[in-house]
Amino acid sequence: MGEGRPGVAATLQALNGALGRSAALWVKETGARNLRHRDFLAPRAALSAAFPGGQVPPEAVSAVPSLRGPAVLPLRVCRQTPAGLAVQVRRPEAFQRLLGSLPGPLPPAAGTRTGCVVLHCPALRGLAALRPRHLRSVLLADHLAQLLRAQGVGVRLVPALTEERSWDVLRQLRICWPSISDGSSLTDAVSALKAALGRCPCAAACEQGPGTAEGVIFKVHLKSFVEQQGLVGYDPNLDVVLVTEGILWSLAELQEAVLQCPVSDPPALPASCFLSSSCCSIIHVVNCEEEFQQQQLDVLWRILDPGAHTALQKHLVCGPVKVTNPSSPIEADQYFQLRKRQMYEASVIKYGELAQDDAWTEVIDTLTVAAIRFEMLSTAHRSQITLDLENSSISTKGTKSGAFVMYNCARLATLFDTFQRAVERGTYPPLPPVSELNFSCLREEGEWLLLFNYLLPFPEVLQQAALLPPPSKGIRITANTETVCKFLIQLSMDFSSYYNRVHVLGEPFPHLFDQMFARLQLLGAVRDVFHSALATLHLPPLSQI
């Protein structure tokens, strides 16, 4: 275990270095068919572009199996094939190194600070009720917060919910959002913003009277400021914003969140430090229908508070949510109750009439939350989602649903519960320490697939999911928020295929124990990956279905 946990990126870097080229020549295989013959490939086309005639020096090829490094997989052989240079891993040793270390996110680099991100979700401001399109941006912000925290990044969620405006549907969906008793702490900040408006050359005070919208206290011209500052990426129709007390309260709360971020003094920071260890970055998570209004707020904040943090504002925009077959506009709590009823009916079809006890109520609630979160988050946030309210995709049979993921998580829990009870009865001995296991017994195709495609890259999957791009021209950013759901769906499909083929708990004969114990160690690591990934979705693992 002294060599450390292997990783995909470190192994690819070592392979590229072995060929003496800075270009990325190697790819990791993922398909079961190719993994029968090779684990990494430098394709023929890439080699032809990097070497004269595509001929790699023989000494470079022969040096590949001897590559070493703290996070480099142990390599067995490198050979020329019609497809290119193919490398195979020393699999028993790879099993030993991976299964002897704990899965989870890679720790932040030593000596660096974590940084801070303010995630602002305007959907939670001033609405009589949440609708599915609002729910999408809230769920996305909640998930992104968990992913960032797993990488050591501090996160502030805005706006805080006042007690009288907390929605039951947020608690039902296990959305962890901060709340406050009232907003009295922002009074001074709102007064300061009003004073700044009074001094602002772009702003004009509004007297209440005929022709003035109720509650409007200032009219601010945004277009001239955008042009003077050379800001790009904003809607060309941005012109005048009518400022109300509510808008100023929103800005005051954003300012307070920035001040509470544990980073250096924001005004002293350059705009190039977006999402660095010394900056507080602001990300507005909005649905496409709210994007224009949020751009108005963005520019207004830049005018009133020209610090570096306002220059670090970015917008993460969610695509539309199309609801089919609605009898009338549906609210988020109605959507939750509809999916819960459908999940209950689907479970009755699969398992028969369910006991009306607290345990099964919890199971149905968890399956419903999983179904909705996967329905909302497994699609790239820029793309449209279509919710079919009658022909739901949340059945317990579908392989692309959250319920399918939770079902396979429960199968693992049942497996280990069955094994533990058998140990207590004396049928099997306890699982030995990992150092005593014989991983050369793991020769089934699906076992390497689970290790190589899921256990090995899992920390890097979490890193990629939390990755936010550096600043660029414009204000929109893209996040890989669908990554974890897609990873869990594919893991569930490959685990289910393996589990349906392989009888893990075999007959209690001593000569079969080595293989059974090695498989249990592997599946225990798979279970840990399920649990860690589900935690980023605020989903508890199920012990039964």
Side-chain angles (χ1 to χ4, degrees):
M1 306 311 152
E3 294 181 273
R5 188 186 196 279
V8 175
T11 303
L12 289 172
Q13 184 179 12
L15 286 169
N16 287 319
L19 299 188
R21 295 292 187 272
S22 58
L25 301 178
W26 294 86
V27 294
K28 173 187 172 296
E29 294 288 5
T30 58
R33 178 178 297 178
N34 287 339
L35 286 173
R36 293 168 191 160
H37 313 291
R38 59 183 184 249
D39 298 311
F40 295 94
L41 176 73
R44 179 66 57 198
L47 296 176
S48 297
F51 296 94
Q55 295 301 308
V56 183
E59 60 273 17
V61 176
S62 60
V64 167
S66 60
L67 288 175
R68 296 290 184 272
V72 177
L73 281 163
L75 306 178
R76 184 172 69 84
V77 64
C78 177
R79 62 178 183 274
Q80 294 276 5
T81 71
L85 269 184
V87 165
Q88 281 188 312
V89 172
R90 294 204 301 271
R91 294 184 175 184
E93 188 178 335
F95 275 113
Q96 182 77 33
R97 286 179 60 187
L98 273 159
L99 298 181
S101 58
L102 295 175
L106 298 176
T112 62
R113 288 179 291 171
T114 60
C116 184
V117 173
V118 174
L119 292 178
H120 173 222
C121 199
L124 294 175
R125 293 190 186 276
L127 292 173
L130 284 176
R131 300 201 183 281
R133 68 176 185 272
H134 305 124
L135 193 58
R136 183 182 190 184
S137 59
V138 177
L139 285 168
L140 190 144
D142 178 67
H143 179 45
L144 183 57
Q146 287 293 93
L147 291 168
L148 290 169
R149 287 169 180 146
Q151 300 303 315
V153 178
V155 178
R156 304 284 304 178
L157 295 171
V158 177
L161 302 175
T162 56
E163 290 179 356
E164 65 271 16
R165 286 303 313 278
S166 60
W167 288 288
D168 287 340
V169 70
L170 298 187
R171 289 191 294 270
Q172 291 168 331
L173 286 168
R174 296 180 170 89
I175 294 172
C176 295
W177 207 270
S179 61
I180 53 173
S181 56
D182 59 61
S184 57
S185 62
L186 302 178
T187 303
D188 291 344
V190 171
S191 298
L193 288 169
K194 283 183 182 178
L197 275 172
R199 299 187 300 269
C200 178
C202 302
C206 294
E207 298 289 338
Q208 291 298 316
T212 302
E214 184 179 353
V216 175
I217 53 178
F218 280 92
K219 180 186 294 186
V220 181
H221 294 269
L222 305 177
K223 195 162 194 170
S224 57
F225 178 83
V226 171
E227 292 170 350
Q228 289 167 8
Q229 298 295 315
L231 302 177
V232 296
Y234 290 88
D235 193 302
N237 295 312
L238 278 186
D239 191 2
V240 174
V241 61
L242 303 178
V243 180
T244 63
E245 286 268 357
I247 287 177
L248 294 181
W249 281 92
S250 298
L251 293 180
E253 189 170 9
L254 282 167
Q255 284 183 324
E256 183 182 66
V258 169
L259 292 173
Q260 292 173 347
C261 277
V263 295
S264 304
D265 181 31
L269 298 170
S272 60
C273 68
F274 180 73
L275 205 58
S276 81
S277 61
S278 58
C279 297
C280 180
S281 306
I282 299 100
I283 300 175
H284 305 290
V285 184
V286 298
N287 68 65
C288 55
E289 296 177 20
E290 297 167 339
E291 185 180 9
F292 183 82
Q293 289 79 7
Q294 188 52 49
Q295 288 188 18
Q296 291 179 317
L297 194 72
D298 173 317
V299 177
L300 179 62
W301 195 15
R302 290 173 187 260
I303 292 171
L304 297 179
D305 185 4
H309 53 272
T310 57
L312 295 176
Q313 296 180 82
K314 295 294 179 182
H315 297 238
L316 197 157
V317 182
C318 297
V321 176
K322 180 183 178 182
V323 180
T324 63
N325 303 319
S327 55
S328 60
I330 188 170
E331 297 178 0
D333 56 348
Q334 294 172 313
Y335 168 55
F336 178 85
Q337 294 302 327
L338 173 65
R339 289 294 189 239
K340 183 176 180 179
R341 177 174 57 80
Q342 291 170 333
M343 183 57 68
Y344 179 86
E345 292 169 353
S347 298
V348 168
I349 292 172
K350 184 175 180 69
Y351 305 109
E353 198 62 39
L354 305 175
Q356 300 295 318
D357 57 17
D358 291 344
W360 265 109
T361 299
E362 177 64 20
V363 167
I364 296 299
D365 284 347
T366 301
L367 289 174
T368 304
V369 174
I372 290 175
R373 281 185 174 264
F374 276 74
E375 195 168 34
M376 288 285 185
L377 296 174
S378 59
T379 300
H381 69 82
R382 306 167 301 283
S383 303
Q384 176 178 292
I385 291 175
T386 300
L387 303 180
D388 191 331
L389 300 184
E390 293 184 1
N391 299 314
S392 167
S393 61
I394 67 169
S395 86
T396 56
K397 296 181 180 179
T399 58
K400 301 295 179 68
S401 70
F404 179 70
V405 171
M406 301 306 290
Y407 167 68
N408 282 285
C409 188
R411 293 172 86 183
L412 277 166
T414 300
L415 169 69
F416 282 93
D417 181 63
T418 302
F419 172 71
Q420 187 57 41
R421 284 188 278 108
V423 169
E424 292 167 359
R425 292 194 305 269
T427 306
Y428 301 129
L431 188 65
V434 66
S435 59
E436 298 177 14
L437 298 180
N438 179 11
F439 290 110
S440 63
C441 296
L442 298 180
R443 293 183 290 270
E444 215 277 338
E445 181 178 279
E447 291 157 356
W448 182 245
L449 203 67
L450 289 172
L451 185 106
F452 196 62
N453 282 350
Y454 303 102
L455 302 188
L456 172 67
F458 177 60
E460 290 159 81
V461 167
L462 291 184
Q463 286 181 331
Q464 286 295 318
L467 187 64
L468 295 170
S472 60
K473 289 185 178 180
I475 56 174
R476 280 193 174 199
I477 62 170
T478 299
N480 302 312
T481 49
E482 74 280 10
T483 299
V484 171
C485 286
K486 288 185 173 180
F487 174 86
L488 280 168
I489 289 168
Q490 195 61 50
L491 170 58
S492 298
M493 292 171 66
D494 283 339
F495 164 72
S496 181
S497 176
Y498 170 76
Y499 197 71
N500 290 340
R501 285 195 316 272
V502 175
H503 190 51
V504 178
L505 300 181
E507 295 295 327
F509 299 136
H511 69 281
L512 300 177
F513 286 164
D514 278 358
Q515 185 177 62
M516 182 182 73
F517 289 149
R519 284 173 170 171
L520 284 170
Q521 186 70 27
L522 170 66
L523 294 180
V526 170
R527 176 192 57 189
D528 291 342
V529 165
F530 265 111
H531 291 186
S532 296
L534 288 172
T536 70
L537 296 161
H538 282 130
L539 287 170
L542 288 178
S543 59
Q544 63 167 345
I545 291 187

